[in-house]
Amino acid sequence: MQKRRFTALIAGLFASTALGFSMPATAQQYKDEYKLSTVLGEAFPWGWGAKRWADLVAEKTEGRIKIKVYPGTSLVSGDQTKEFTALRQGIIDMAVGSTINWSPQVKELNLFALPFLMPDHKAIDALTQGRVGKKMFDILAERDVVPLAWGENGFREVSNSKKPIRTPEDVKGMKMRVVGSPLFLATFNALGANPTQMSWADAQPAMATGAVDGQENPLAVFNAAKLHTVGQKNLTLWGYVADPLIFVVNKSVWNSWSEADRKAVSEAAQQAAKEEIARARAGISAADDALLKEIEANGVAVVRLTDAERDAFRQATAGVYKEWAEKIGADLVKQAEEDIAKR
């Protein structure tokens, strides 16, 4: 009787294999090393957060999962907009990715780039930590990745080598480097600028040679990249969009891990993301403006817009907001607006 049961068990296992059913995660082979993609290196909060995640995973899994961070989106030859596709395909195992860079493949992520949607950090939190954030994670989960935590690159401020920017008129005709997103092109075109899509690797040389006049990026990026050394002497705090980051794992990789290791990776992502957000927000508030003072000490003229001045930019880009709200999904945008209003 026992022999027949054993024979039946073996036959069942072979049948499962033939039909393509996977064995339990604990029976699968872990990789010697997992590849984690990010745009910026450790000098920036973004890259620091990726390295922190990798270190925490190694610690929490007792070395079972080893991760190497690849900054500069080097796994896709520096093309930031191809990162999400490579992640889905398994070329990349893990990533701390930008909602902006992934928006060409996931249209809903353009929500965060709607001009002047989010007025402050509480507004970002209302979205990423609320109904909208959960909805975004559900959408991503249908695209071969497992999202684990929200990080933050920060509010993107505008700088240039020509003159202080206080009004939409000041932007007209300026050659501006923007990320590879149609929404960013539309926003700067609405302001009368001459936007040029360019990877971050190409941006700094372009500023140094005068091929472009300006750019837009979070203050932590502006300072760590020393953009004052490439002619960016005028900086305007307009906070027109913010750039949340997402800690994710390729779904096949995720499924190859034991349940205990999945839990460890998830907890590590959440801890690293929380610490990364704190770094991204440090030194740029009224209570703590150390980073802004450091930027000004480097000879950069910082313009702080009044509410009325900022509203002029909002009105100038209102048509772009309306057009893209329909592309993103009117219900999702309405939900975001409601949650921000309740903050």
Side-chain angles (χ1 to χ4, degrees), residues 17-28:
T17 303
L19 291 171
F21 298 129
S22 61
M23 298 292 286
T26 52
Q28 296 191 29

Side-chain angles (χ1 to χ4, degrees), residues 103-123:
S103 63
Q105 288 81 39
V106 186
K107 68 173 184 177
E108 291 86 356
L109 292 178
N110 282 291
L111 172 78
F112 300 104
L114 282 175
F116 303 100
L117 168 67
M118 297 171 286
D120 51 36
H121 288 126
K122 288 183 178 179

Side-chain angles (χ1 to χ4, degrees), residues 30 60-61 64 257-267:
Y30 280 34
K60 290 178 181 291
T61 63
R64 286 186 299 278
W257 293 333
S258 69
E259 186 174 343
D261 283 342
R262 290 177 202 163
K263 183 173 183 290
V265 172
S266 179
E267 289 175 351

Side-chain angles (χ1 to χ4, degrees), residues 215-226:
Q215 61 85 53
E216 44 76 62
N217 253 307
L219 294 176
V221 174
F222 184 96
N223 195 51
K226 304 185 187 310

